[in-house]
Amino acid sequence: MEHMDWKNLPFGYMKTDYNIRSVYRNGKWGPLEISDSEYLSVHMAATGLHYGQEIFEGLKAYMGKDGRIRLFRWEENAKRFIKSAKGLIMAPVPQEMFREAIFKVISLNKKYVPPYGSGASLYIRPLLFGSGAEVGVKPSGEYMFVVFVTPVGPYFREGVKPVDMLIIRDVDRAAPKGTGTFKAGGNYAASLRAIVAARDGGYANVIFVDSVERKYIDECGPANFFAIKNNKYITPASESILESITNMSLLTLAGDMGMETERRKIAVEELAGFEEAGACGTAAVISPIARIFDPQNNKVYEFCKDGKPGPVSMKLYNRLTGIQYGDEPDPHGWITFVE
Ligand SMILES: *Cc1c(COP(=O)(O)O)cnc(C)c1O
């Protein structure tokens, strides 16, 4: 792939050579099959199309300086995929089958793993949906598991840049005891009105608040929220957010760096006292937040005066990406090599 302009790769879909599929039928999973087609043949009455029985995962493979391909905490994605499947009454993909599928699809598409130093990586997208034909509302008896990969460029091409966020109270992404804790496509569909409204207003993304009291911070669009104050890493506890593996890792790294960590409810007004704020997830790792606008009282909370990310956020960002690309030691055993 010498001809590829890795440094200018967008964060989007690009065709690769192969993907992996398997079908669950008559109570068991079929073999993992390799396909070179980008298309699936799906029954028009599949529950995934009608009733939203669909979940997914997202993880990345990174090329190290040593030419070895690294996967970051894939077991956590496998576990979350099982949790999400159970949450939507779908046939879960066993962890060992998940492992085999992702390692196989990476190996088959090795030439698409962007080189070290490009800031790019190979994004891996496992998905699972109800593929059985049903018209009544009930779980499907048949499921399709697909894993494809696509090389993605660095989220911040010009270096990490703080973004503006908008608090939205007239759209809920998820409710407590709803499906917010599962990585379900339906949650994204539910969040689009808010995301589009925020983008139209010139904001990078939306901040959802809890849907009961509309008082506490839930999530930042498709990423978790965190804040830094007095050498403390603070992130919301909520029944309606998706537990981010990036956030889990940052909590651990913050602890390693001698910071205190707290997972608790965060009232919107508390934003006034935070030194740094950010969104975290696999795509960007950390998106530092410059400003948050709350339209309810016309208030702007500012976290970066000079347009630069805060020092603690940068330290966490460098530490985590350093582990992912193999530039830093991996004391927690988060990396698995793909041979
Ligand atoms: C995937 C996702 C995240 C980020 O999770 P990571 O495991 O860090 O990638 C956060 N919020 C939502 C709603 C998500 O779907």
Side-chain angles (χ1 to χ4, degrees), residues 155-166 202-205 207 220 226 275-280 284-293 301-314 317:
Y155 203 82
F156 296 104
R157 204 174 304 283
E158 325 286 335
V160 180
K161 196 174 155 278
V163 296
D164 292 347
M165 302 271 192
L166 174 68
Y203 298 90
N205 224 315
I207 292 193
C220 306
F226 72 90
E275 294 150 17
E276 298 178 31
C280 61
V285 181
I286 286 178
S287 253
I289 301 175
R291 282 179 297 254
I292 298 175
F293 179 57
Y301 300 95
E302 275 208 75
F303 306 98
C304 312
K305 297 276 178 295
D306 50 1
K308 286 207 184 71
V312 179
S313 299
M314 273 325 283
Y317 176 89

Side-chain angles (χ1 to χ4, degrees), residues 112-337:
Y112 294 98
V113 182
Y116 175 81
S118 62
S121 53
L122 187 73
Y123 187 75
I124 302 141
R125 169 53 58 85
L127 61 135
L128 176 72
F129 62 93
S131 52
E134 296 289 351
V135 174
V137 178
K138 61 178 168 203
S140 173
E142 196 181 296
Y143 293 89
M144 206 176 271
F145 170 49
V146 182
V147 190
F148 69 81
V149 296
T150 188
V152 290
Y155 203 82
F156 296 104
R157 204 174 304 283
E158 325 286 335
V160 180
K161 196 174 155 278
V163 296
D164 292 347
M165 302 271 192
L166 174 68
I167 294 176
I168 281 197
R169 287 193 181 74
D170 54 3
V171 178
D172 293 321
R173 170 190 163 272
K177 312 200 194 302
T179 57
T181 54
F182 311 128
K183 209 167 174 77
N187 296 336
Y188 278 75
S191 72
L192 284 177
R193 276 184 300 149
I195 290 174
V196 168
R199 297 253 160 90
D200 287 351
Y203 298 90
N205 224 315
V206 56
I207 292 193
F208 290 107
V209 291
D210 79 283
S211 59
V212 179
E213 297 180 71
R214 303 192 193 285
K215 221 178 123 178
Y216 301 100
I217 294 177
D218 252 2
E219 281 198 85
C220 306
N224 277 187
F225 175 86
F226 72 90
I228 307 293
K229 183 184 182 176
N230 296 335
N231 203 33
K232 206 182 272 175
Y233 181 98
I234 311 162
T235 192
S238 162
E239 268 190 299
S240 50
I241 65 178
L242 195 275
E243 266 200 41
S244 151
I245 297 161
T246 312
N247 197 11
M248 255 168 52
S249 310
L250 292 173
L251 277 159
T252 302
L253 294 179
D256 290 353
M257 284 160 34
M259 298 173 68
E260 273 183 76
T261 59
E262 274 178 5
R263 202 195 272 275
R264 60 166 172 84
K265 285 188 171 189
I266 300 175
V268 171
E269 305 78 69
E270 255 197 83
L271 288 172
F274 293 150
E275 294 150 17
E276 298 178 31
C280 61
T282 296
V285 181
I286 286 178
S287 253
I289 301 175
R291 282 179 297 254
I292 298 175
F293 179 57
D294 186 352
Q296 183 165 274
N297 47 12
N298 244 341
K299 217 172 149 80
V300 180
Y301 300 95
E302 275 208 75
F303 306 98
C304 312
K305 297 276 178 295
D306 50 1
K308 286 207 184 71
V312 179
S313 299
M314 273 325 283
K315 211 168 138 189
L316 286 165
Y317 176 89
N318 290 332
R319 182 92 181 85
L320 186 52
T321 54
I323 294 172
Q324 290 169 334
Y325 284 101
D327 293 331
E328 295 226 15
D330 172 28
H332 303 287
W334 288 342
I335 297 298
T336 314
F337 293 100

